[in-house]
Amino acid sequence: MECAERGLIDAPWLRFGDAGALMRALAEIGAREGLGALLAEGSRRAAEQVGGGSAEFAPHVKGLELPGYEPRTMHAMALGLAVNSRGADHNRSGAYEADLSGDLDRFAGGDAQVAAAVETEDRAAVMDSLILCKFLRGVFREPFGEWAALLAAVTGWDADGAELRRTARRIVLAKRVFNIREGWRPSDDWLPERLLSQPLETSSGRVAALTPERLRAMISGYYAARGLDSGGRPAPADLAGLGLR
């Protein structure tokens, strides 16, 4: 819609606030007809074709569109979305839980936000592997230990919480190594330019801003917490210890 209003694409019918235009766009995307042939490729590929600066406001990370969370107002989630191996996926990085918990300042980015991003990413990795619904995450007091007990009861394995934490780390690194093999670059761990250059006024009147410097500092902290080098890559010895190449 913004591309249409800026004249970057020829779609005078596509305007913000027009529900009928939205339904038409969705139908065309599903059928890959008209404008839908372009939009069905996703915002990253569409922006590459449209040009005109549209890449700066294309709402994606690694080609996956942003979920319903505003990174400028949730800085732990901003980090989680930026470094997530799948892109802007709130089911692989549930750091919004920490932002909304009231236990940390969601408008600030620092060590607490880094720790929250790592912890929620690890928890998501284990829950996915155990095939547990993410809506159950709030019912566990000591998740890794309780999940290990569930796993042991079902499989007979002698598992404990410490083993599941190591497993979570291995899962996260395995996905990162896969991405590196497929052409990942450090610049892929980032957010759309608009989110880093345009502050947002909240309903309470507070101005929320996420600067490139703050995001870069959090990413560096995340890399350090994960045992990665400054370019986001794991050490060979670390991978060998986890049974990965």
Side-chain angles (χ1 to χ4, degrees):
M1 289 179 174
E2 183 166 348
C3 287
E5 294 193 351
R6 289 189 179 200
L8 299 177
I9 58 176
D10 183 17
W13 54 271
L14 188 60
R15 291 292 183 269
F16 285 108
D18 188 332
L22 175 61
M23 297 306 295
R24 174 180 168 180
L26 290 174
E28 291 191 5
I29 290 171
R32 285 185 173 268
E33 296 177 348
L35 184 60
L38 171 67
L39 299 182
E41 294 296 316
S43 58
R44 177 171 66 180
R45 291 181 177 177
E48 289 172 353
Q49 296 186 49
V50 171
S54 57
E56 295 182 0
F57 57 85
H60 74 86
V61 176
K62 300 180 180 72
L64 183 64
E65 280 69 26
L66 294 171
Y69 302 92
E70 172 52 70
R72 286 170 288 190
T73 67
M74 297 182 178
H75 288 191
M77 189 61 179
L79 171 61
L81 295 177
V83 299
N84 188 355
S85 61
R86 191 166 182 256
D89 185 350
H90 69 288
N91 277 318
R92 301 302 187 278
S93 176
Y96 62 87
E97 298 175 41
D99 283 316
L100 298 177
S101 68
D103 295 331
L104 49 77
D105 184 354
R106 63 189 177 95
F107 294 96
D111 292 343
Q113 286 72 20
V114 170
V118 170
E119 177 71 10
T120 55
E121 191 175 45
D122 282 352
R123 291 186 183 188
V126 172
M127 292 193 80
D128 285 339
S129 298
L130 294 177
I131 322 298
L132 288 176
C133 175
K134 296 272 176 33
F135 286 118
L136 292 176
R137 60 188 178 274
V139 307
F140 299 99
R141 291 182 179 274
E142 299 292 340
F144 288 95
E146 293 178 57
W147 294 336
L150 291 176
L151 180 63
V154 172
T155 64
W157 297 347
D158 184 19
D160 59 21
E163 181 179 357
L164 287 196
R165 282 192 176 276
R166 291 192 300 270
T167 301
R169 181 165 177 262
R170 183 179 187 275
I171 292 168
V172 172
L173 286 182
K175 291 189 287 186
R176 178 164 288 267
V177 172
F178 177 91
N179 279 1
I180 291 172
R181 189 192 72 183
E182 297 302 309
W184 171 90
R185 298 167 299 172
S187 59
D188 292 325
D189 284 354
W190 203 240
L191 292 175
E193 180 61 30
R194 168 168 290 172
L195 301 179
L196 305 175
S197 61
Q198 297 184 17
L200 178 72
E201 184 173 347
T202 68
S203 59
S204 64
R206 181 169 183 173
V207 176
L210 176 62
T211 65
E213 293 77 17
R214 174 171 290 176
L215 180 59
R216 175 55 58 201
M218 289 196 295
I219 290 174
S220 295
Y222 173 88
Y223 287 171
R226 286 287 185 207
L228 309 174
D229 65 19
S230 60
R233 293 178 171 84
D238 203 15
L239 293 179
L242 293 171
L244 299 171
R245 290 186 297 171

